[in-house]
Amino acid sequence: SQVAWCELPPRVLLVLTSQRGVQMYEADGSTMVFWHALDVPELPAAHSVFARGIAAAGGRFVCVGTSFGAVLVFDIPPKGTNVTLSEVLEQHRDPVTDIAAEQGQAPDGGGDLVTADDAGTLCLWSSGEEFTLLGKIPGSGCSCSSVALWNGVVAAGYGNGQIRLWEAASGRIRAQVSAHARWIYALDLAPLTGKLLSGAEDSFVHVWKLSRNPDTDDIEVQHCHAECVTDTQVCGARFCDPAGDTFAVTGYDLSEILCY
Amino acid sequence: MSARTLPLLFLNLGGEMLYILDQRLRAQSIPGEKARKDEWTDVDRKRVMNDIISTMFNRKFMEELFKPQDLYSKKALRTVYDRLAHASIMRLNQASMDKLYDLMTMAFKYQVLLCPRPRDILLVTFNHLDAIKDFISDSPGILNQVDETFRRLIETYSCLSDGEFQLIRQTLLIFFQDMHIRVSIFLKDKVQNSNGRFVLPISGAVPWGTEVPGLIRIFNHKGVEVKRAEFTTAGNYVTPQREGSFELYGDRVLKLGTNMYSVTRPVETHVSGSSKSLASQAKENIAPNPLAKEELNFLARLLGGLDIQKPAGGESGFRLNLFTTDEEEEHAAKTRPEELSYKVINIEATQEPGRRAELSRILGELDVAEPRPGSAEKGEDLLALMDGL
């Protein structure tokens, strides 16, 4: 299961995904606004059914990924419960792992949404009444477990511990970091500073700084800080503020949230 | 949640159980000529191992096991192992059975946690099966059964992606969540902390397919590498030498899942629940169990229907103690914390006529050799069993 806050200009929704489908609640958790059930087969099938990957897009939509590879696009009214399934994007052939919306300024004509799957394939979209596929970066077989989008740069974390930075517009790889020794579980971005946070099963949390070289237009990434959460496999990591001065970490078998 | 998890859970836990039983039986065995009627000999040990392994790898059982399904509850799974442990002349008291189950589960939890890649869980399973084949190396019939299961594993799991294996791994970790029973052998080897949590090393070989952390490479818009930088961390990793084999035979390379017990290292558990009450686990045990019938799933029924050899020389005759003395065992039974009680369901399988008919049918289909009436000789039963293979 996953939970995410979806901030759309008029309202904030709490969105949950699970094996059953998608649920949306008002920000204070008081009422369930909407739920969408996935087609669950009668008997357990060999392939798992679940919803995974949540992001708010275009100030109006909530996108949720599924194990079928389809991305569900929900149109959210400014208030009330009249949420509708506006579109189903079918570009991924493997289970969706994560979805991220542009957190900075997309370059002209740039996309505002990126979706990732278990084969490592990344899709770039432009949101709207009808979503447009702007580009597709084929995966190399390694699951892309987590993804972020900032100023036209896609930051992707993989199951083999690598972080890759892609130029969204061209689909070219711009940086490759041997960041972790195990599966990366979480990536988060601080939009004001371009700091990137990565957490993985190797017990480490790293803070990186993304930037663009104004002369060469190269995307640069620097390592800022490493934190080892002793004897813990990190499952979640998030910045607590948009500048990335503080961050929180969760782990397997850990009943606490650690703040740094 | 993955619906393909149960076979891996069952086989690996079963493997750990066999390691422990083998160690305890060896530790308590007496050379054949000197043994009294109620003492263990090598022949008895082999027989127990054979009985349990052949029951575990029963074809119908395996067919049911490999069907896509959700994991059983902890209670239901425990019932299955209870039945399995009693598939032979051996008897275990509640306290010993509890301890056995604690050891099995903590060992496998450790293996799942430390698996370098999600798919390495298959190598761990193969390690267990390789060892099981060693236990019954002189019984070609049972060896065949195990090989068949081996092939089924390869067929079912070889084509799964890393993402699917990670889902399986997550399903297993959720099953083991919040279990922190301290195991002496782990504490001594510094593999577990005194608070029950496992030590996760930040050194050693990286998983196959992963690079040693530290390198940053920058590419220009043409895809040409223009800059390299390095960063350092507290970790101390090296590249692995080779990948483990996923074939029927081969060097698995990975040590997780191999037998860590030996006759000279008695295994104790400190059964102390953590002070942060295992709230969810406690709730699971306290709730009344109207689900008893539903949870008495096919596997447990299948095992329940098997003919259990009556021990000659009375109930206590072939009892195996997982503790060093009987007094220790009694003490352990009395002092086990409430929240860790497994509250095993003991089903009287013969009471309901409908059930009885089903079980008899299953029993008939399972081809278990009937013990000759009045036979009190261990040797004769053994022969009967062999005939049935």
Side-chain angles (χ1 to χ4, degrees), chain B residues 223-240:
Chain B
V224 178
E225 187 184 308
V226 292
K227 188 164 145 191
R228 277 199 174 202
E230 285 192 14
F231 68 93
T232 51
T233 61
N236 184 12
Y237 296 101
V238 292
T239 23

Side-chain angles (χ1 to χ4, degrees), chain A residues 123-229:
Chain A
C123 288
L124 270 128
W125 308 86
S126 174
S127 67
E129 289 274 338
E130 257 184 51
F131 275 54
T132 327
L133 177 72
L134 297 178
K136 200 169 188 178
I137 300 169
S140 48
C142 192
S143 176
C144 174
S145 42
S146 206
V147 78
L149 182 58
W150 185 67
N151 293 349
V153 175
V154 176
Y158 294 84
N160 64 359
Q162 257 193 16
I163 294 177
R164 292 182 172 186
L165 301 182
W166 304 84
E167 179 91 66
S170 63
R172 287 189 188 273
I173 188 168
R174 298 309 295 265
Q176 190 165 297
V177 186
S178 308
H180 290 275
R182 292 280 192 283
W183 192 282
I184 293 178
Y185 256 108
L187 274 191
D188 193 30
L189 204 128
L192 292 183
T193 53
K195 279 195 197 159
L196 183 71
L197 185 69
S198 65
E201 280 176 6
D202 62 354
S203 305
F204 280 93
V205 180
H206 290 294
V207 181
W208 317 84
K209 183 87 169 7
L210 305 187
S211 58
R212 248 214 219 256
N213 188 313
D215 306 318
T216 62
D217 210 33
D218 284 341
I219 296 166
E220 311 235 324
V221 56
Q222 275 178 304
H223 181 253
C224 301
H225 185 74
E227 200 62 55
C228 180
V229 189

Side-chain angles (χ1 to χ4, degrees), chain B residues 117-159:
Chain B
R117 296 173 299 177
R119 76 174 54 237
D120 287 340
I121 209 135
L122 207 50
L123 290 177
V124 173
T125 315
F126 290 164
N127 271 333
H128 280 118
L129 288 193
D130 287 340
I132 289 172
K133 279 163 73 170
D134 221 30
F135 285 138
I136 41 112
S137 53
D138 41 8
S139 310
I142 313 175
L143 203 55
N144 245 350
Q145 285 174 263
V146 180
D147 268 341
E148 226 189 274
T149 303
F150 221 119
R151 278 184 223 108
R152 213 192 267 262
L153 275 172
I154 293 174
E155 202 186 290
T156 311
Y157 293 96
S158 292
C159 51

